[in-house]
């Protein structure tokens, strides 16, 4: 059985093969903040934070300075059904999975089920989106505090955090660290285990699935429920930071995807998607030169 994908190594080797000579320097911290669960989970108000670019059908973000790479935080109503939500992101393993089932990466239906069953006390009125940023300083100094402020406004006791792409895992880890340092316990549901552990977070549920499906396979509701429950138990039982729980699930279509992800044979981005990514990189450089990120 193949081990889990080391995305830090995979992305370094991939971008070297594409002509980039300077590896990305991932955030890393030795000390990890840890906030214990303040009361029984059945009485806690839970919020959801995601880097999936979660959007409402029929609406679109007009401000390009908040579209991937550059960062930014926003909120949506938590009572919106999954059928009204979608992700326009292309930063997932498109060869192996899909973003058609929102609950595979933004588990709103599963959280509402947990609330109805009394497993959690309530959900915040808003859920939160964070656009990933290459600027770690931007995430730490602007986006993470913005999420914390909204969580406090909504009375959140606990935060469930879910990343999608590799840099998203870093972004969500930095947000989790900030929430924990300010008294809000978190659990991260991750596909790129090595990135979140490298950054340093209190609690991680790792499912060895392609990027884009950290909460279970698309359209497998029961598996998604079981993965969420593992996260709930981790919130209840962890007593030290850097606690990782590995779920027992294996991708139903086999593990060949692990050999192909981030390889020249299966480019991470190509065609129009690559051109859009390059355009956003140029936008990031421009905003950085102007001191805006």
């Amino acid at each position: 059985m193949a081990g889990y994908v080391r995305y830090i190594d995979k992305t370094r080797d991939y971008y070297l093969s594409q002509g980039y000579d300077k590896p990305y320097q991932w955030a890393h911290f030795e000390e990890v903040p840890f906030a214990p669960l303040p009361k029984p989970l059945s009485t806690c108000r839970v919020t959801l934070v995601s880097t999936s670019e979660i959007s409402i059908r029929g609406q679109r973000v007009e401000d390009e300075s908040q579209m991937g790479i550059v960062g930014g935080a926003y909120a949506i109503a938590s009572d919106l059904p999954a059928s009204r939500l979608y992700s326009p992101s292309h930063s997932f393993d498109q060869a192996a999975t899909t973003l058609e089932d929102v609950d595979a990466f933004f588990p709103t239906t599963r959280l509402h089920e947990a609330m109805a069953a009394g497993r959690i006390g309530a959900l915040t009125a808003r859920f939160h989106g964070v656009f990933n940023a290459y600027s770690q300083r931007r995430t730490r100094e602007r986006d993470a505090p913005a999420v914390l402020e909204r969580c406090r406004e909504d009375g959140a006791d606990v935060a469930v955090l879910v990343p999608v792409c590799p840099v998203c895992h870093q972004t969500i880890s930095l947000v989790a660290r900030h929430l924990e340092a300010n008294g809000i316990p978190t659990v991260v549901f991750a596909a790129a285990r090595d990135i979140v552990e490298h950054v340093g977070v209190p609690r991680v549920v790792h499912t060895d699935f392609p990027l884009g499906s950290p909460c279970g396979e698309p359209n497998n509701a029961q598996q998604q429920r079981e993965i969420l429950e593992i996260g709930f138990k981790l919130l209840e039982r962890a007593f030290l930071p850097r606690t990782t729980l590995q779920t027992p699930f294996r991708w139903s279509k086999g593990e060949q995807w692990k050999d192909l992800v981030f390889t020249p044979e299966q480019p991470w981005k190509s065609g129009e998607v690559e051109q859009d990514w390059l355009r956003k990189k140029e936008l990031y450089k421009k905003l950085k030169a102007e001191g805006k990120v």
Side-chain angles (χ1 to χ4, degrees), residues 139-195:
T139 302
R140 294 196 311 269
E141 297 180 4
R142 296 181 61 178
D143 297 342
V147 173
L148 173 65
E149 180 180 3
R150 291 173 175 141
C151 287
R152 285 176 168 167
E153 290 171 353
D154 295 345
D157 299 306
V158 171
V160 169
L161 298 100
V162 187
V164 174
C165 73
V167 176
C168 292
H169 280 71
Q170 174 178 265
T171 298
I172 218 73
S173 297
L174 294 173
V175 173
R177 289 177 55 86
H178 189 74
L179 295 179
E180 292 272 350
N182 287 277
I184 298 179
T186 67
V187 59
V188 176
F189 290 85
R193 172 176 173 172
D194 63 320
I195 294 175

